[in-house]
Amino acid sequence: MGLNVAERAKFLAEPHVAGVAVDAGADRGPLSVPVWYDYEPGGDVEFLTGRDSRKAALIGKAGRFTLLVQRTSPTYRYVSVEGPVVWSGPTTLEQLTRIASRYLPVEAVPGYVEGSDLGALVTFRMRPEHWLSADLGAI
């Protein structure tokens, strides 16, 4: 059973590790890798990655990507969103801190942020256009 608009937005806003998928070109399946991300209901999805990574190059070329989040314990759920990149640019200290704060204990965030090379990171923002979701219940 699919989730309604509010349920899927709320689920996507939770701090799941997401899988990002992007077209990898002829004779290749899509590149699919895990990422930390940020999302608030009604807004855009944002994540950061290495500026010189294959992922960044492919997303820059394709201009769009898919993000999939899931819960693997009852009730089993997933939300997948796909859409265009509406902004990309150098990662700011605020972006890195915000995303790290979703996934790390509060006391670990300063060390993680201070140990990161902002100059090596790029942030992508995607506007969700197409949604797929399901609540598979307690199977």
Side-chain angles (χ1 to χ4, degrees):
M1 174 198 258
L3 303 171
N4 68 38
V5 171
E7 290 170 331
R8 71 186 189 199
K10 181 181 178 201
F11 187 75
L12 185 60
E14 295 171 1
H16 303 281
V17 173
V20 165
V22 61
D23 181 21
D27 300 323
R28 298 287 304 260
L31 175 73
S32 181
V33 293
V35 296
W36 291 352
Y37 70 97
D38 191 29
Y39 172 76
E40 297 211 9
D44 297 332
V45 173
E46 190 172 271
F47 82 97
L48 52 94
T49 190
R51 182 187 67 226
D52 297 328
S53 69
R54 182 165 183 252
K55 176 179 22 178
L58 290 172
I59 290 172
K61 181 179 178 185
R64 60 190 317 113
F65 62 91
T66 298
L67 187 97
L68 169 70
V69 298
Q70 65 180 348
R71 181 169 58 210
T72 59
S73 59
T75 66
Y76 303 95
R77 284 185 169 189
Y78 74 85
V79 169
S80 176
V81 294
E82 183 268 330
V85 173
V86 295
W87 180 87
S88 65
T91 299
T92 67
L93 181 60
E94 186 275 329
Q95 289 166 321
L96 177 62
T97 302
R98 182 171 25 84
I99 290 174
S101 296
R102 287 175 46 91
Y103 296 94
L104 297 174
V106 68
E107 65 276 3
V109 173
Y112 178 82
V113 169
E114 290 167 14
S116 298
D117 179 3
L118 282 176
L121 299 172
V122 62
T123 297
F124 289 96
R125 190 173 302 139
M126 178 259 283
R127 176 147 309 122
E129 284 185 345
H130 306 284
W131 295 72
L132 293 172
S133 64
D135 183 341
L136 306 174
I139 299 174

